[in-house]
Amino acid sequence: MTTTTCRVCDGKVQEFADLGEQPTANGFLLPHEAENEFFFRLAVGACELCGMVQLLEEVPQDLRYHAGYRYHASGSASHRAHFEGNARRFLATELTGTDPFIVEIGCNDGVMLSTVADAGVRHLGVEPSSNVAAVAAAKGVRVLSEFFDEDTAAAIRAEHGPADVVFGANTICHIAHIGSVLRGIDALLTPAGVFVFEEPYLGTIIEGLAFDQIYDEHVFYFSVESVSAMAAQFGFELVDAEHVPLHGGEIRYTIARQGARTPAPAVAALLDGERARGLSRPETFQRFGRTVERVREDLVALLHKIRAEGKTVVGYGAPGKSSTVTNYCGITTDLVPFVCDSTPGKQGHLVPGSHLPVRPPEAFSDPYPDYALLFAWNHAEEIMAKEQGFREAGGQWIRYVPEVRVG
Ligand code: SAH
Ligand code: TYD
Ligand code: ZN
């Protein structure tokens, strides 16, 4: 059992789950690159003082985010619609003053900021992965290709003035130097400004058993309680929290300077709910660790049974999550010969660590397998609607969150 120091408050972090040796989850490889792959121990724990759940070991940020970063946020229709909605909401609420300014940390391919740019509102995306930053720039988004921290924030403030909104989605929990990020936001925001971020929810992962959301990029696993404590430590206050349906269930947090805004009733309601359910109690975490081991046993047993019956299985979707589950369960090509994914940059590559080949979606029906292991389970509706022919041909979907089931 490893104990380490909390990245937020310096408290002691107690480990509760170990998902073994794992690669970087978005480090899709070409077959000849498989030899020198980077591995680290993927384990999570909770801080005894502030409750923040976090990785015990971390992968250096420049190994995760670089010119070959594979995740393109605009790849899913539901994500495009969601982020356009976010942009429209900011344009109608926080960005209505004279010459407003919004900064997005981790703007990726411009999925949110392109709508802001089209509206002619001043904005800046901060995006270290230069390949996706270039895609955003081609859509008319202004981008600074750097890692956000307190120095970048000071430089942005000096050049552009203060920001009314700082936004981040599926990015803030990726940044190990979270203290520097919050000091940067303090330097950057106007007195009445807000920092809004949407991130995977600890409740979804622990109570919904979405253990495959645990991987190198997700350094932190936020709850309303731990975000509220973190905000207070850096002179801010959590003034709103709302459920968001992306990635199986996230929360959008709104943070303002202490005393600047009246907290919405949702904050206290969500906090009470977390406490009543015992979300952050050590027993809850221990139970999660044991249940995840059982899901692994069930899934591996099912795949062996299918193979013994002479039936076929193909993986559907190669999200970062597929790296966690295949490496944790030891799923290699003898159980799942390949995975289909719509992202051109992943096709022709191998899933990190487990080395399942990634093929285009057309390979799925050529011919249909007997079973499809749905790695992109958070897009189940969109994918099953698109792939109706599979069930019509007698195929069955396999899911493993929150438990293994076939149908
Ligand atoms: N906002 C998009 C993309 C999330 S992927 C969405 O919700 O779908 C996370 C992005 O954060 C990546 O594009 C990565 O390059 C970027 N990122 C990682 N660390 C960062 C940092 N310190 N500052 C700014 N962006 C960062
Ligand atoms: P996603 O769950 O959005 O990301 P993460 O890597 O953060 O876990 O990834 C979904 C993956 O599924 C992505 O690689 C694209 C793929 N996909 C398809 O192949 N077909 C589809 O219809 C959809 C919606 C996604
Ligand atoms: Zn702490």
Side-chain angles (χ1 to χ4, degrees), residues 20-81:
E21 290 298 308
Q22 293 266 357
T24 62
N26 273 306
F28 289 83
L29 310 152
L30 287 169
H32 73 269
E33 295 167 335
E35 257 176 41
N36 296 320
E37 206 172 359
F38 175 93
F39 283 89
F40 79 115
R41 192 173 78 93
L42 181 64
V44 278
C47 173
E48 287 177 352
L49 280 184
C50 74
M52 183 62 80
V53 173
Q54 53 200 286
L55 292 183
L56 282 109
E57 288 183 19
E58 81 197 39
V59 175
Q61 62 181 2
D62 48 357
L63 286 183
R64 293 183 271 146
Y65 311 110
H66 43 64
Y69 187 61
R70 306 267 163 221
Y71 186 74
H72 286 241
S74 296
S76 138
S78 59
H79 286 199
R80 285 195 300 276

Short mmCIF file of all heavy atoms in Angstrom, two decimals, residues 20-81:
data_model
loop_
_atom_site.label_atom_id
_atom_site.label_comp_id
_atom_site.label_asym_id
_atom_site.label_seq_id
_atom_site.Cartn_x
_atom_site.Cartn_y
_atom_site.Cartn_z
N GLY A 20 -3.20 -1.93 -11.64
CA GLY A 20 -2.03 -2.59 -12.22
C GLY A 20 -1.18 -1.70 -13.10
O GLY A 20 -1.36 -0.49 -13.17
N GLU A 21 -0.23 -2.35 -13.79
CA GLU A 21 0.67 -1.63 -14.70
C GLU A 21 -0.13 -1.22 -15.93
O GLU A 21 -0.76 -2.07 -16.57
CB GLU A 21 1.84 -2.54 -15.11
CG GLU A 21 2.82 -2.82 -13.98
CD GLU A 21 3.50 -1.55 -13.47
OE1 GLU A 21 4.05 -0.80 -14.29
OE2 GLU A 21 3.47 -1.32 -12.23
N GLN A 22 -0.08 0.06 -16.25
CA GLN A 22 -0.89 0.56 -17.36
C GLN A 22 -0.07 1.55 -18.20
O GLN A 22 0.79 2.25 -17.67
CB GLN A 22 -2.11 1.32 -16.81
CG GLN A 22 -3.11 0.45 -16.07
CD GLN A 22 -4.25 -0.05 -16.95
OE1 GLN A 22 -4.36 0.30 -18.12
NE2 GLN A 22 -5.11 -0.86 -16.36
N PRO A 23 -0.39 1.63 -19.50
CA PRO A 23 0.26 2.63 -20.37
C PRO A 23 -0.51 3.96 -20.30
O PRO A 23 -1.47 4.07 -19.53
CB PRO A 23 0.09 2.00 -21.74
CG PRO A 23 -1.24 1.31 -21.64
CD PRO A 23 -1.37 0.82 -20.22
N THR A 24 -0.14 4.95 -21.09
CA THR A 24 -0.95 6.17 -21.19
C THR A 24 -2.14 5.82 -22.09
O THR A 24 -1.97 5.26 -23.19
CB THR A 24 -0.15 7.35 -21.79
OG1 THR A 24 0.25 6.98 -23.10
CG2 THR A 24 1.08 7.66 -20.97
N ALA A 25 -3.35 6.13 -21.61
CA ALA A 25 -4.56 5.58 -22.22
C ALA A 25 -4.84 6.09 -23.63
O ALA A 25 -5.54 5.45 -24.40
CB ALA A 25 -5.75 5.88 -21.33
N ASN A 26 -4.33 7.27 -23.98
CA ASN A 26 -4.53 7.75 -25.35
C ASN A 26 -3.26 7.61 -26.18
O ASN A 26 -3.15 8.20 -27.25
CB ASN A 26 -5.03 9.20 -25.35
CG ASN A 26 -6.56 9.25 -25.23
OD1 ASN A 26 -7.27 8.63 -26.01
ND2 ASN A 26 -7.06 9.96 -24.24
N GLY A 27 -2.31 6.78 -25.69
CA GLY A 27 -1.05 6.58 -26.40
C GLY A 27 -1.18 5.48 -27.45
O GLY A 27 -0.44 4.49 -27.40
N PHE A 28 -2.11 5.66 -28.40
CA PHE A 28 -2.30 4.65 -29.46
C PHE A 28 -1.01 4.52 -30.27
O PHE A 28 -0.40 5.52 -30.63
CB PHE A 28 -3.49 5.04 -30.34
CG PHE A 28 -4.80 4.87 -29.62
CD1 PHE A 28 -5.26 5.87 -28.77
CD2 PHE A 28 -5.53 3.72 -29.74
CE1 PHE A 28 -6.45 5.71 -28.06
CE2 PHE A 28 -6.71 3.54 -29.04
CZ PHE A 28 -7.16 4.53 -28.19
N LEU A 29 -0.62 3.26 -30.55
CA LEU A 29 0.70 3.01 -31.13
C LEU A 29 0.59 2.46 -32.54
O LEU A 29 -0.38 1.77 -32.87
CB LEU A 29 1.40 1.89 -30.34
CG LEU A 29 1.48 1.96 -28.85
CD1 LEU A 29 1.55 0.55 -28.28
CD2 LEU A 29 2.72 2.74 -28.48
N LEU A 30 1.65 2.69 -33.33
CA LEU A 30 1.79 1.96 -34.58
C LEU A 30 2.44 0.63 -34.21
O LEU A 30 3.18 0.57 -33.21
CB LEU A 30 2.66 2.75 -35.55
CG LEU A 30 1.96 3.99 -36.14
CD1 LEU A 30 2.95 4.88 -36.88
CD2 LEU A 30 0.81 3.56 -37.06
N PRO A 31 2.15 -0.44 -34.98
CA PRO A 31 2.68 -1.75 -34.60
C PRO A 31 4.18 -1.73 -34.28
O PRO A 31 4.61 -2.36 -33.31
CB PRO A 31 2.36 -2.61 -35.82
CG PRO A 31 1.09 -2.00 -36.36
CD PRO A 31 1.23 -0.51 -36.13
N HIS A 32 5.00 -0.98 -35.03
CA HIS A 32 6.45 -1.02 -34.77
C HIS A 32 6.85 -0.24 -33.50
O HIS A 32 7.99 -0.32 -33.07
CB HIS A 32 7.23 -0.49 -35.99
CG HIS A 32 7.13 1.00 -36.17
ND1 HIS A 32 6.17 1.60 -36.94
CD2 HIS A 32 7.87 2.01 -35.65
CE1 HIS A 32 6.32 2.91 -36.89
NE2 HIS A 32 7.34 3.19 -36.11
N GLU A 33 5.90 0.50 -32.91
CA GLU A 33 6.23 1.29 -31.71
C GLU A 33 5.97 0.52 -30.41
O GLU A 33 6.22 1.03 -29.32
CB GLU A 33 5.40 2.59 -31.67
CG GLU A 33 5.71 3.55 -32.80
CD GLU A 33 4.68 4.66 -32.93
OE1 GLU A 33 3.50 4.48 -32.52
OE2 GLU A 33 5.04 5.72 -33.46
N ALA A 34 5.46 -0.70 -30.55
CA ALA A 34 4.97 -1.43 -29.37
C ALA A 34 6.08 -1.82 -28.38
O ALA A 34 5.80 -2.09 -27.22
CB ALA A 34 4.18 -2.66 -29.80
N GLU A 35 7.33 -1.82 -28.83
CA GLU A 35 8.40 -2.32 -27.95
C GLU A 35 8.75 -1.41 -26.78
O GLU A 35 9.00 -1.88 -25.68
CB GLU A 35 9.65 -2.60 -28.77
CG GLU A 35 9.83 -4.08 -29.02
CD GLU A 35 11.01 -4.37 -29.90
OE1 GLU A 35 12.05 -3.72 -29.72
OE2 GLU A 35 10.85 -5.24 -30.79
N ASN A 36 8.83 -0.10 -27.04
CA ASN A 36 9.30 0.81 -25.99
C ASN A 36 8.17 1.53 -25.28
O ASN A 36 8.28 2.71 -24.95
CB ASN A 36 10.25 1.86 -26.60
CG ASN A 36 11.48 1.21 -27.15
OD1 ASN A 36 12.02 0.29 -26.54
ND2 ASN A 36 11.90 1.64 -28.32
N GLU A 37 7.08 0.83 -25.04
CA GLU A 37 5.93 1.50 -24.45
C GLU A 37 6.17 1.87 -22.99
O GLU A 37 6.81 1.13 -22.25
CB GLU A 37 4.72 0.56 -24.57
CG GLU A 37 3.43 1.28 -24.59
CD GLU A 37 2.28 0.34 -24.90
OE1 GLU A 37 2.52 -0.87 -25.11
OE2 GLU A 37 1.15 0.83 -24.90
N PHE A 38 5.61 3.00 -22.59
CA PHE A 38 5.75 3.50 -21.22
C PHE A 38 4.65 2.90 -20.34
O PHE A 38 3.48 2.91 -20.72
CB PHE A 38 5.62 5.04 -21.26
CG PHE A 38 5.64 5.70 -19.93
CD1 PHE A 38 6.83 6.18 -19.39
CD2 PHE A 38 4.46 5.85 -19.19
CE1 PHE A 38 6.85 6.80 -18.15
CE2 PHE A 38 4.48 6.48 -17.96
CZ PHE A 38 5.67 6.94 -17.43
N PHE A 39 5.02 2.36 -19.17
CA PHE A 39 4.01 1.84 -18.24
C PHE A 39 4.21 2.48 -16.86
O PHE A 39 5.33 2.85 -16.50
CB PHE A 39 4.13 0.32 -18.09
CG PHE A 39 3.56 -0.44 -19.25
CD1 PHE A 39 4.34 -0.75 -20.35
CD2 PHE A 39 2.23 -0.84 -19.26
CE1 PHE A 39 3.82 -1.44 -21.44
CE2 PHE A 39 1.69 -1.54 -20.34
CZ PHE A 39 2.49 -1.84 -21.43
N PHE A 40 3.12 2.59 -16.10
CA PHE A 40 3.20 3.07 -14.71
C PHE A 40 2.14 2.34 -13.90
O PHE A 40 1.27 1.67 -14.47
CB PHE A 40 3.02 4.59 -14.65
CG PHE A 40 1.59 5.04 -14.75
CD1 PHE A 40 0.95 5.68 -13.69
CD2 PHE A 40 0.85 4.80 -15.90
CE1 PHE A 40 -0.37 6.07 -13.78
CE2 PHE A 40 -0.48 5.19 -15.99
CZ PHE A 40 -1.09 5.83 -14.93
N ARG A 41 2.21 2.47 -12.58
CA ARG A 41 1.23 1.77 -11.74
C ARG A 41 -0.01 2.66 -11.57
O ARG A 41 0.08 3.77 -11.03
CB ARG A 41 1.83 1.46 -10.37
CG ARG A 41 0.96 0.48 -9.57
CD ARG A 41 1.67 0.05 -8.30
NE ARG A 41 1.58 1.07 -7.27
CZ ARG A 41 0.64 1.14 -6.34
NH1 ARG A 41 -0.30 0.20 -6.30
NH2 ARG A 41 0.63 2.10 -5.44
N LEU A 42 -1.16 2.16 -12.06
CA LEU A 42 -2.40 2.95 -12.00
C LEU A 42 -3.12 2.61 -10.69
O LEU A 42 -3.74 1.55 -10.57
CB LEU A 42 -3.27 2.61 -13.21
CG LEU A 42 -4.59 3.36 -13.31
CD1 LEU A 42 -4.37 4.85 -13.51
CD2 LEU A 42 -5.43 2.82 -14.47
N ALA A 43 -3.00 3.51 -9.72
CA ALA A 43 -3.65 3.28 -8.43
C ALA A 43 -4.25 4.59 -7.95
O ALA A 43 -3.72 5.67 -8.23
CB ALA A 43 -2.62 2.78 -7.42
N VAL A 44 -5.40 4.50 -7.24
CA VAL A 44 -6.06 5.71 -6.74
C VAL A 44 -6.21 5.64 -5.23
O VAL A 44 -6.32 4.56 -4.63
CB VAL A 44 -7.47 5.92 -7.33
CG1 VAL A 44 -7.41 6.56 -8.68
CG2 VAL A 44 -8.28 4.65 -7.37
N GLY A 45 -6.26 6.84 -4.62
CA GLY A 45 -6.46 6.94 -3.18
C GLY A 45 -7.20 8.22 -2.86
O GLY A 45 -7.46 9.05 -3.74
N ALA A 46 -7.56 8.38 -1.59
CA ALA A 46 -8.30 9.58 -1.15
C ALA A 46 -7.49 10.29 -0.06
O ALA A 46 -6.87 9.64 0.79
CB ALA A 46 -9.66 9.18 -0.59
N CYS A 47 -7.53 11.63 -0.08
CA CYS A 47 -6.81 12.43 0.92
C CYS A 47 -7.56 12.37 2.25
O CYS A 47 -8.77 12.60 2.29
CB CYS A 47 -6.67 13.88 0.45
SG CYS A 47 -5.97 14.95 1.72
N GLU A 48 -6.83 12.08 3.32
CA GLU A 48 -7.45 12.00 4.65
C GLU A 48 -7.97 13.35 5.12
O GLU A 48 -8.88 13.42 5.92
CB GLU A 48 -6.40 11.54 5.67
CG GLU A 48 -6.03 10.10 5.55
CD GLU A 48 -4.93 9.72 6.54
OE1 GLU A 48 -4.37 10.63 7.20
OE2 GLU A 48 -4.64 8.53 6.62
N LEU A 49 -7.38 14.44 4.61
CA LEU A 49 -7.77 15.78 5.09
C LEU A 49 -8.87 16.42 4.26
O LEU A 49 -9.90 16.81 4.78
CB LEU A 49 -6.55 16.71 5.08
CG LEU A 49 -5.57 16.62 6.24
CD1 LEU A 49 -4.51 17.71 6.08
CD2 LEU A 49 -6.29 16.76 7.57
N CYS A 50 -8.66 16.56 2.94
CA CYS A 50 -9.63 17.30 2.12
C CYS A 50 -10.53 16.37 1.32
O CYS A 50 -11.45 16.83 0.66
CB CYS A 50 -8.92 18.28 1.20
SG CYS A 50 -8.07 17.51 -0.19
N GLY A 51 -10.27 15.06 1.34
CA GLY A 51 -11.14 14.09 0.66
C GLY A 51 -10.87 13.94 -0.83
O GLY A 51 -11.52 13.12 -1.48
N MET A 52 -9.95 14.72 -1.39
CA MET A 52 -9.73 14.65 -2.84
C MET A 52 -9.20 13.26 -3.25
O MET A 52 -8.19 12.80 -2.74
CB MET A 52 -8.73 15.73 -3.28
CG MET A 52 -8.49 15.78 -4.78
SD MET A 52 -9.99 16.19 -5.72
CE MET A 52 -10.03 17.97 -5.50
N VAL A 53 -9.93 12.63 -4.20
CA VAL A 53 -9.49 11.34 -4.74
C VAL A 53 -8.54 11.63 -5.90
O VAL A 53 -8.80 12.51 -6.73
CB VAL A 53 -10.71 10.50 -5.18
CG1 VAL A 53 -10.26 9.23 -5.90
CG2 VAL A 53 -11.56 10.16 -3.97
N GLN A 54 -7.43 10.92 -5.95
CA GLN A 54 -6.39 11.23 -6.94
C GLN A 54 -5.51 10.02 -7.21
O GLN A 54 -5.51 9.06 -6.43
CB GLN A 54 -5.55 12.40 -6.45
CG GLN A 54 -4.98 12.22 -5.05
CD GLN A 54 -4.56 13.56 -4.42
OE1 GLN A 54 -3.55 14.11 -4.81
NE2 GLN A 54 -5.34 14.05 -3.45
N LEU A 55 -4.76 10.09 -8.31
CA LEU A 55 -3.81 9.03 -8.64
C LEU A 55 -2.66 9.06 -7.65
O LEU A 55 -2.27 10.12 -7.17
CB LEU A 55 -3.24 9.24 -10.04
CG LEU A 55 -4.17 9.08 -11.23
CD1 LEU A 55 -3.39 9.27 -12.53
CD2 LEU A 55 -4.86 7.72 -11.21
N LEU A 56 -2.07 7.90 -7.41
CA LEU A 56 -0.88 7.87 -6.56
C LEU A 56 0.36 8.20 -7.37
O LEU A 56 1.21 8.96 -6.94
CB LEU A 56 -0.77 6.52 -5.86
CG LEU A 56 -1.75 6.56 -4.69
CD1 LEU A 56 -2.94 5.70 -4.90
CD2 LEU A 56 -1.07 6.30 -3.40
N GLU A 57 0.45 7.60 -8.57
CA GLU A 57 1.59 7.94 -9.45
C GLU A 57 1.05 8.72 -10.63
O GLU A 57 -0.06 8.47 -11.07
CB GLU A 57 2.23 6.65 -9.99
CG GLU A 57 2.99 5.90 -8.94
CD GLU A 57 3.68 4.65 -9.50
OE1 GLU A 57 3.87 4.54 -10.72
OE2 GLU A 57 3.99 3.79 -8.67
N GLU A 58 1.85 9.64 -11.17
CA GLU A 58 1.37 10.37 -12.35
C GLU A 58 2.37 10.28 -13.49
O GLU A 58 3.56 10.06 -13.28
CB GLU A 58 1.05 11.82 -12.01
CG GLU A 58 2.25 12.70 -11.98
CD GLU A 58 2.03 14.03 -11.25
OE1 GLU A 58 1.35 14.06 -10.21
OE2 GLU A 58 2.61 15.02 -11.72
N VAL A 59 1.85 10.45 -14.70
CA VAL A 59 2.66 10.42 -15.92
C VAL A 59 2.99 11.87 -16.27
O VAL A 59 2.09 12.72 -16.24
CB VAL A 59 1.85 9.74 -17.06
CG1 VAL A 59 2.61 9.80 -18.37
CG2 VAL A 59 1.51 8.31 -16.69
N PRO A 60 4.26 12.19 -16.60
CA PRO A 60 4.60 13.59 -16.94
C PRO A 60 3.66 14.13 -18.02
O PRO A 60 3.29 13.40 -18.94
CB PRO A 60 6.03 13.50 -17.46
CG PRO A 60 6.58 12.23 -16.88
CD PRO A 60 5.42 11.31 -16.70
N GLN A 61 3.26 15.42 -17.89
CA GLN A 61 2.24 15.95 -18.79
C GLN A 61 2.68 15.97 -20.26
O GLN A 61 1.85 15.79 -21.15
CB GLN A 61 1.77 17.34 -18.35
CG GLN A 61 2.85 18.41 -18.34
CD GLN A 61 2.31 19.75 -17.86
OE1 GLN A 61 1.15 19.88 -17.51
NE2 GLN A 61 3.16 20.77 -17.86
N ASP A 62 3.97 16.12 -20.52
CA ASP A 62 4.36 16.16 -21.94
C ASP A 62 4.37 14.77 -22.59
O ASP A 62 4.45 14.66 -23.80
CB ASP A 62 5.67 16.92 -22.16
CG ASP A 62 6.76 16.48 -21.20
OD1 ASP A 62 6.46 15.63 -20.34
OD2 ASP A 62 7.89 16.97 -21.32
N LEU A 63 4.23 13.70 -21.78
CA LEU A 63 4.04 12.36 -22.37
C LEU A 63 2.57 12.14 -22.71
O LEU A 63 2.22 11.25 -23.47
CB LEU A 63 4.49 11.26 -21.40
CG LEU A 63 5.97 11.06 -21.18
CD1 LEU A 63 6.22 9.88 -20.23
CD2 LEU A 63 6.68 10.81 -22.50
N ARG A 64 1.69 12.94 -22.08
CA ARG A 64 0.25 12.76 -22.31
C ARG A 64 -0.26 13.71 -23.40
O ARG A 64 -1.13 13.35 -24.18
CB ARG A 64 -0.52 13.03 -21.01
CG ARG A 64 -0.25 12.01 -19.93
CD ARG A 64 -1.10 12.27 -18.69
NE ARG A 64 -0.48 13.15 -17.74
CZ ARG A 64 -1.13 14.03 -16.98
NH1 ARG A 64 -2.43 14.15 -17.09
NH2 ARG A 64 -0.50 14.79 -16.12
N TYR A 65 0.23 14.95 -23.41
CA TYR A 65 -0.30 15.99 -24.32
C TYR A 65 0.82 16.51 -25.19
O TYR A 65 1.79 17.08 -24.70
CB TYR A 65 -0.93 17.13 -23.50
CG TYR A 65 -1.87 16.57 -22.47
CD1 TYR A 65 -1.56 16.61 -21.11
CD2 TYR A 65 -3.03 15.93 -22.86
CE1 TYR A 65 -2.39 16.04 -20.17
CE2 TYR A 65 -3.87 15.35 -21.93
CZ TYR A 65 -3.55 15.40 -20.59
OH TYR A 65 -4.37 14.83 -19.67
N HIS A 66 0.68 16.28 -26.49
CA HIS A 66 1.75 16.63 -27.44
C HIS A 66 1.14 16.68 -28.84
O HIS A 66 -0.08 16.51 -29.00
CB HIS A 66 2.85 15.58 -27.36
CG HIS A 66 2.32 14.18 -27.27
ND1 HIS A 66 1.60 13.60 -28.28
CD2 HIS A 66 2.32 13.27 -26.26
CE1 HIS A 66 1.20 12.40 -27.93
NE2 HIS A 66 1.62 12.17 -26.69
N ALA A 67 2.00 16.83 -29.84
CA ALA A 67 1.52 16.99 -31.22
C ALA A 67 0.81 15.76 -31.76
O ALA A 67 0.15 15.82 -32.79
CB ALA A 67 2.70 17.35 -32.12
N GLY A 68 0.90 14.62 -31.04
CA GLY A 68 0.24 13.41 -31.53
C GLY A 68 -0.96 13.02 -30.66
O GLY A 68 -1.35 11.85 -30.64
N TYR A 69 -1.57 13.99 -29.97
CA TYR A 69 -2.70 13.68 -29.07
C TYR A 69 -3.90 13.20 -29.89
O TYR A 69 -4.31 13.86 -30.85
CB TYR A 69 -3.06 14.93 -28.25
CG TYR A 69 -4.09 14.66 -27.17
CD1 TYR A 69 -3.83 13.75 -26.15
CD2 TYR A 69 -5.32 15.32 -27.17
CE1 TYR A 69 -4.77 13.51 -25.16
CE2 TYR A 69 -6.26 15.09 -26.18
CZ TYR A 69 -5.98 14.17 -25.18
OH TYR A 69 -6.91 13.93 -24.20
N ARG A 70 -4.47 12.05 -29.50
CA ARG A 70 -5.48 11.41 -30.36
C ARG A 70 -6.92 11.87 -30.10
O ARG A 70 -7.78 11.62 -30.93
CB ARG A 70 -5.47 9.89 -30.17
CG ARG A 70 -4.16 9.25 -30.36
CD ARG A 70 -3.97 8.75 -31.79
NE ARG A 70 -2.55 8.52 -31.95
CZ ARG A 70 -1.85 8.81 -33.01
NH1 ARG A 70 -2.44 9.34 -34.05
NH2 ARG A 70 -0.57 8.58 -33.06
N TYR A 71 -7.21 12.42 -28.94
CA TYR A 71 -8.63 12.68 -28.64
C TYR A 71 -9.12 13.94 -29.34
O TYR A 71 -8.60 15.04 -29.11
CB TYR A 71 -8.84 12.81 -27.12
CG TYR A 71 -10.30 12.95 -26.77
CD1 TYR A 71 -11.15 11.86 -26.86
CD2 TYR A 71 -10.85 14.18 -26.42
CE1 TYR A 71 -12.50 11.98 -26.58
CE2 TYR A 71 -12.20 14.31 -26.13
CZ TYR A 71 -13.01 13.21 -26.22
OH TYR A 71 -14.36 13.34 -25.95
N HIS A 72 -10.11 13.76 -30.19
CA HIS A 72 -10.75 14.89 -30.87
C HIS A 72 -12.15 15.02 -30.32
O HIS A 72 -12.99 14.16 -30.54
CB HIS A 72 -10.78 14.68 -32.39
CG HIS A 72 -9.44 14.86 -33.04
ND1 HIS A 72 -9.20 15.81 -33.99
CD2 HIS A 72 -8.27 14.22 -32.84
CE1 HIS A 72 -7.92 15.75 -34.35
NE2 HIS A 72 -7.34 14.77 -33.68
N ALA A 73 -12.40 16.12 -29.60
CA ALA A 73 -13.67 16.28 -28.90
C ALA A 73 -14.87 16.33 -29.85
O ALA A 73 -15.97 15.95 -29.49
CB ALA A 73 -13.62 17.55 -28.06
N SER A 74 -14.66 16.78 -31.08
CA SER A 74 -15.78 16.92 -32.02
C SER A 74 -16.18 15.60 -32.66
O SER A 74 -17.06 15.59 -33.53
CB SER A 74 -15.41 17.92 -33.13
OG SER A 74 -15.22 19.19 -32.56
N GLY A 75 -15.58 14.48 -32.24
CA GLY A 75 -15.85 13.19 -32.86
C GLY A 75 -17.26 12.67 -32.62
O GLY A 75 -17.72 11.80 -33.34
N SER A 76 -17.94 13.16 -31.59
CA SER A 76 -19.28 12.64 -31.31
C SER A 76 -20.33 13.74 -31.46
O SER A 76 -20.14 14.88 -31.02
CB SER A 76 -19.29 12.07 -29.88
OG SER A 76 -20.47 12.44 -29.20
N ALA A 77 -21.45 13.37 -32.11
CA ALA A 77 -22.52 14.35 -32.36
C ALA A 77 -23.08 14.88 -31.05
O ALA A 77 -23.36 16.09 -30.92
CB ALA A 77 -23.62 13.69 -33.18
N SER A 78 -23.20 14.01 -30.04
CA SER A 78 -23.78 14.48 -28.78
C SER A 78 -22.83 15.45 -28.09
O SER A 78 -23.26 16.43 -27.47
CB SER A 78 -24.13 13.29 -27.87
OG SER A 78 -22.98 12.53 -27.60
N HIS A 79 -21.51 15.23 -28.21
CA HIS A 79 -20.56 16.17 -27.61
C HIS A 79 -20.58 17.52 -28.34
O HIS A 79 -20.53 18.57 -27.72
CB HIS A 79 -19.14 15.59 -27.61
CG HIS A 79 -18.97 14.50 -26.58
ND1 HIS A 79 -17.74 14.10 -26.13
CD2 HIS A 79 -19.88 13.75 -25.92
CE1 HIS A 79 -17.91 13.14 -25.23
NE2 HIS A 79 -19.19 12.90 -25.10
N ARG A 80 -20.69 17.48 -29.66
CA ARG A 80 -20.75 18.74 -30.42
C ARG A 80 -21.96 19.55 -29.98
O ARG A 80 -21.87 20.74 -29.71
CB ARG A 80 -20.85 18.47 -31.94
CG ARG A 80 -19.54 18.02 -32.56
CD ARG A 80 -19.57 18.13 -34.08
NE ARG A 80 -20.61 17.33 -34.73
CZ ARG A 80 -20.48 16.04 -35.04
NH1 ARG A 80 -19.36 15.39 -34.77
NH2 ARG A 80 -21.47 15.38 -35.63
N ALA A 81 -23.10 18.88 -29.86
CA ALA A 81 -24.33 19.58 -29.46
C ALA A 81 -24.20 20.12 -28.04
O ALA A 81 -24.60 21.26 -27.75
CB ALA A 81 -25.52 18.62 -29.57
#
